[in-house]
Amino acid sequence: MVDAAFLALSVITIGSAIAALELRSMIYGSMALMGTLGGIAGFFLLLDSPFIAMFQIAVYVGSIAVLILFTVMLVKRELIFKKIEDPRRKFAGIGLMLILMMGLGSIIIDSGLRTIQTNEPAVDFRDIGEDFLTYYWPALILMALILAGAVTGALVLARREDVEDEQRAN
Amino acid sequence: MSNELIDFVIVSIALLGIGIYGLSVKRNAIRMLFAVEIIINAANLNLVAFARFIPHSGGQTLALFSIAIAAAEVAVGLSLIIVAYRMYQNIDIADFRSLKG
């Protein structure tokens, strides 16, 4: 049986995921996306992995959601409030979602995952740090390079070439 | 702990379904990015849940890598959307027809 915290978190997460996609204003939509990301962080806390939960809050709720919010603010006002979607595709999309959920859900419920329970202690976050610095160190360095490259690439892409430096100074 | 593995997997399936619905129905580029974020978070939830029930630190390490790569992906995706918006004055992906710079 699930406990009350799990139920509340799943209602918050799934409800705000639907709201993020369906709310008319994209600003409220990105705030609802923050709710989804925060709800996932709550699930990580329920799963006894506080380190991942803090990482999720710092990276997703703290930076990605704010980045999305600022991008939404750069877009024209009437585009923020306009709903752009194919009405014919909407029912097909809802059908696809339901078929996917029911198909995957019935497979998962029938499988042996149902009986898995654990009483073992949770993974200590010191093990994660040790993993990072021993077995996964090439991946860690590669990840740092990818992040640096991505940020530099984003800056280069978003730079305006038609604006001269004197205009920038003014 | 009172929650079982299957509960977390079912929440993750629901989030995956919502994300695929968003990707297939919406034509707004920023909303499609929202849907991608929701799918990535469903995957991360699965990773951490399985790592908790097979007590092993590998799943949590992989989840951390996945979060960091997703951050890089969002930065590049948003700047691509800004470039396309500057070029077409619109964020409808049906308008992004030519790749010419």
Side-chain angles (χ1 to χ4, degrees), chain A residues 52-68:
Chain A
I52 314 270
M54 291 307 128
F55 203 79
Q56 166 97 1
I57 289 175
V59 172
Y60 269 108
V61 187
S63 71
I64 290 183
V66 175
L67 195 65
I68 288 177

Side-chain angles (χ1 to χ4, degrees), chain A residues 17-98:
Chain A
I18 294 172
L21 292 175
E22 289 300 331
L23 276 182
R24 200 174 164 74
S25 153
M26 255 192 317
I27 292 181
Y28 290 138
S30 48
M31 286 175 185
L33 188 72
M34 270 189 202
T36 308
L37 304 174
I40 296 281
F43 279 124
F44 291 162
L45 281 181
L46 277 189
L47 285 165
D48 300 326
S49 35
F51 183 61
I52 314 270
M54 291 307 128
F55 203 79
Q56 166 97 1
I57 289 175
V59 172
Y60 269 108
V61 187
S63 71
I64 290 183
V66 175
L67 195 65
I68 288 177
L69 204 57
F70 273 96
T71 312
V72 169
M73 284 179 203
L74 283 178
V75 174
K76 261 188 300 192
R77 194 163 171 273
E78 57 263 30
L79 285 179
I80 292 181
F81 293 101
K82 203 166 93 182
K83 242 186 174 169
I84 318 172
E85 60 187 29
D86 283 334
R88 280 175 298 137
R89 274 199 184 180
K90 183 150 192 167
F91 295 104
I94 291 175
L96 180 68
M97 174 177 77
L98 290 180

